[in-house]
Amino acid sequence: MSMITERAEALHHTAGRESGKRVAATPIATLPLQLTINGEERALQVEPWTTLLDLLREKLDLTGSKKGCDHGQCGACTVLIDGKRINSCLKLAVTLDGAEITTIEGLGQPGNLHQLQAAFIEHDAFQCGYCTPGQICSAQGLINEGHAHSRAEVREQMSGNLCRCGAYTNIADAVIEVLDRRANGEKQE
């Protein structure tokens, strides 16, 4: 049960006690939502206050995206929405009807890694790994956007993704490698 649901129920029961009347619980309305998640079309029923991050992690068991700060300040929850990077903890799921969502689980699979995943491994671009899914999704969004061409631009464009382990140099190396491969005509997955 989400914290919001628990608070709503607590307020509901408190109101009933204060008035001296027993109040029946009101059913919580859900809204229909159509999403394509990692290439799979999904028809869902979602509470209006559910964030995309909570939908992915709690309802769809896609736990690659991490809940770091839950305030849009760390980037651990970064996913791609229609190819653009976004902090999923700040986006209400119901606002995304018809959108295409790509999470870290949709970029590559064991034995068939995405170029960025392979580059992160090759450049040792992570330590604890908590921020890595968000870093990789942000890097893919950066590549999709086409704005970053130098190390300084990569660092600036990815500044919203924090790494408490301090692997920034290696992260930039991995992203630059993939950008260079792309510039040299190698296939981008």
Side-chain angles (χ1 to χ4, degrees):
M1 182 179 295
S2 76
M3 191 176 356
I4 294 172
T5 304
E6 290 173 347
R7 286 182 185 162
E9 287 182 9
L11 287 172
H12 186 71
H13 292 297
T14 302
R17 279 193 305 252
E18 290 172 359
S19 68
K21 298 177 185 175
R22 186 133 173 87
V23 179
T26 308
I28 298 170
T30 60
L31 299 171
L33 180 63
Q34 296 282 339
L35 295 174
T36 302
I37 302 173
N38 298 328
E40 181 183 339
E41 291 186 24
R42 305 289 300 259
L44 305 161
Q45 287 293 131
V46 180
E47 292 89 359
W49 56 81
T50 303
T51 64
L52 176 59
L53 178 61
D54 288 339
L55 175 68
L56 293 170
R57 290 184 58 80
E58 296 174 16
K59 303 225 187 261
L60 301 176
D61 202 30
L62 294 169
T63 57
S65 304
K66 303 300 186 224
K67 188 177 272 199
C69 67
D70 209 20
H71 296 289
Q73 298 174 352
C74 72
C77 66
T78 304
V79 298
L80 301 171
I81 299 175
D82 297 327
K84 296 181 178 144
R85 54 199 165 142
I86 192 154
N87 292 336
S88 62
C89 72
L90 296 179
K91 194 70 174 165
L92 291 176
V94 295
T95 66
L96 298 170
D97 196 32
E100 184 173 330
I101 312 298
T102 304
T103 68
I104 191 68
E105 292 92 345
L107 285 180
Q109 300 296 318
N112 186 26
L113 296 179
H114 185 276
Q115 282 183 330
L116 281 165
Q117 291 169 319
F120 266 61
I121 292 168
E122 182 180 326
H123 290 279
D124 198 22
F126 54 90
Q127 287 181 33
C128 79
Y130 196 82
C131 73
T132 305
Q135 295 278 1
I136 290 174
C137 285
S138 184
Q140 182 59 53
L142 174 134
I143 291 168
N144 294 347
E145 294 162 10
H147 297 305
H149 306 288
S150 68
R151 174 176 293 284
E153 290 172 333
V154 166
R155 290 180 63 95
E156 175 65 28
Q157 294 288 321
M158 290 192 57
S159 64
N161 289 83
L162 304 180
C163 173
R164 293 189 67 172
C165 299
Y168 295 115
T169 300
N170 298 1
I171 291 167
D173 289 344
V175 175
I176 290 293
E177 177 186 313
V178 174
L179 284 169
D180 287 347
R181 285 182 185 174
R182 187 173 183 211
N184 291 329
E186 289 185 36
K187 182 182 175 207
Q188 175 67 31
E189 297 174 17

